[in-house]
Amino acid sequence: MNVPSAVAPSGPSLGLGFSFADLTSRDGLIRLDRSFLDWLAAADAALHQRLLAARAEPDALGAKDEGELLVAIGPHLEAFLGELFGIGEELEALARATHALDPIH
């Protein structure tokens, strides 16, 4: 994939040892996926195994189970992306503000 440098700056690096250029190449995205899988395995080994099983046999997972898996992975993916893009503190502030509204909801 040949992406013009104006679209894929090699400029500032991201967190977790990645650069914006990594997000524009297949190899970079494969490495990013592996990094997320490692992140998930460290945080929740059982959930990591569920994800690997779902990837190995995607048709074996019913719609409800797939939805539950995605919801379970969500917080881990959010934390991973917060670290990747250096916005972890902002995500935490947003979560605190949202939780402060719980009595209204």
Side-chain angles (χ1 to χ4, degrees), residues 2-104:
N2 190 4
V3 178
S5 61
V7 175
S10 59
S13 52
L14 300 170
L16 304 171
F18 289 90
S19 70
F20 280 101
D22 290 323
L23 303 180
T24 66
S25 73
R26 185 175 193 286
D27 290 341
L29 293 174
I30 289 170
R31 195 166 63 87
L32 184 66
D33 180 62
R34 286 185 187 138
S35 182
F36 174 68
L37 290 175
D38 291 345
W39 176 287
L40 184 60
D44 189 330
L47 185 57
H48 173 257
Q49 287 303 314
R50 284 177 55 201
L51 177 58
L52 292 180
R55 284 182 170 191
E57 293 186 58
D59 293 333
L61 202 60
K64 183 180 178 191
D65 290 333
E66 180 180 0
E68 289 174 352
L69 178 61
L70 292 173
V71 168
I73 290 171
H76 299 286
L77 180 59
E78 181 177 281
F80 178 80
L81 292 174
E83 185 74 20
L84 177 67
F85 290 105
I87 57 169
E89 290 180 20
E90 291 84 350
L91 287 173
E92 288 176 19
L94 182 60
R96 283 192 302 274
T98 300
H99 290 300
L101 297 175
D102 280 352
I104 295 171

